[in-house]
């Protein structure tokens, strides 16, 4: 099966991402930028949604859509200041957030999941590339 992301929002430009990075005061990792220039938010194709082991919900859009990632980030920080520079880019089917770290090294680029009910922050992957690979690998099994 081909691994695809569907129902994406309006395409982003380099300028869109540059503007967001200026607002955040941090730069996104290159693989993350490349992903969002190709897929601005969206969901996995129907073939993947039908797999029972899948708990991944979808990617949050940037700039466009009903609830863009920038607003999610602002909302998170209102109640959880310790999540500063952890940018929400995706969600699972239970409403938990996947976050990419924009913090200084050695944390920069790490991927976490923020468990809303328990307020736990769990490391998922050491990079966006690893997250993408693990997501694809889990789905291929």
């Amino acid at each position: 099966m081909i691994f695809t992301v569907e129902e994406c929002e309006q395409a982003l430009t380099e300028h869109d991402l540059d503007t967001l990075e200026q607002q955040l005061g941090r730069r996104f990792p290159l693989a993350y930028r490349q992903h969002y220039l190709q897929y601005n938010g969206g969901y996995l194709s129907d073939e993947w949604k039908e797999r029972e082991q899948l708990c991944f919900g979808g990617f949050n859009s940037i700039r466009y859509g009903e609830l863009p990632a920038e607003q999610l980030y602002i909302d998170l920080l209102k109640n959880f200041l310790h999540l500063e520079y952890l940018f929400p880019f995706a969600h699972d089917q239970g409403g938990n957030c996947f976050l990419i770290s924009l913090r200084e090294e050695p944390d920069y680029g790490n991927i976490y999941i923020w468990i809303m009910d328990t307020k736990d922050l769990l490391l998922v992957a050491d990079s966006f590339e690893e997250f993408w690979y693990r997501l694809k690998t889990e789905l291929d099994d």
Side-chain angles (χ1 to χ4, degrees):
M1 264 187 252
I2 297 174
F3 187 80
T4 60
V5 180
E6 300 174 341
E7 299 179 42
C8 300
E9 292 293 339
Q10 178 178 329
L12 293 174
T13 66
E14 293 276 353
H15 178 72
D16 290 328
L17 288 173
D18 292 344
T19 300
L20 177 56
E21 288 174 337
Q22 288 172 356
Q23 292 168 347
L24 295 171
R26 303 291 168 104
R27 294 206 37 95
F28 292 115
L30 182 59
Y32 179 90
R33 284 181 65 94
Q34 291 171 336
H35 172 85
Y36 268 84
L37 288 170
Q38 184 174 4
Y39 306 110
N40 183 20
Y43 301 92
L44 300 178
S45 62
D46 286 338
E47 299 88 49
W48 299 119
K49 290 178 192 175
E50 293 171 4
R51 294 175 171 234
E52 289 183 22
Q53 79 271 19
L54 180 63
C55 66
F56 183 79
F59 292 97
N60 303 327
S61 66
I62 292 177
R63 296 240 149 184
Y64 307 106
E66 288 183 33
L67 188 56
E70 303 97 292
Q71 186 60 52
L72 288 170
Y73 181 63
I74 291 167
D75 293 346
L76 274 176
L77 290 184
K78 284 180 184 175
N79 295 307
F80 309 106
L81 280 177
H82 67 285
L83 297 179
E84 184 174 28
Y85 300 121
L86 294 175
F87 193 76
F89 70 90
H91 56 277
D92 70 7
Q93 293 177 352
N96 302 306
C97 295
F98 289 98
L99 310 167
I100 187 165
S101 176
L102 303 179
R103 296 174 175 168
E104 300 296 324
E105 293 289 349
D107 196 53
Y108 179 78
N110 285 346
I111 304 297
Y112 294 93
I113 188 164
W114 173 245
I115 308 297
M116 299 297 285
D117 292 341
T118 61
K119 311 300 183 255
D120 289 323
L121 185 64
L122 307 172
L123 182 66
V124 173
D126 292 331
S127 66
F128 190 78
E129 296 97 330
E130 181 185 338
F131 175 80
W132 186 250
Y133 174 79
R134 288 177 63 190
L135 182 60
K136 288 174 65 173
T137 302
E138 177 183 324
L139 297 173
D140 284 337
D141 290 341

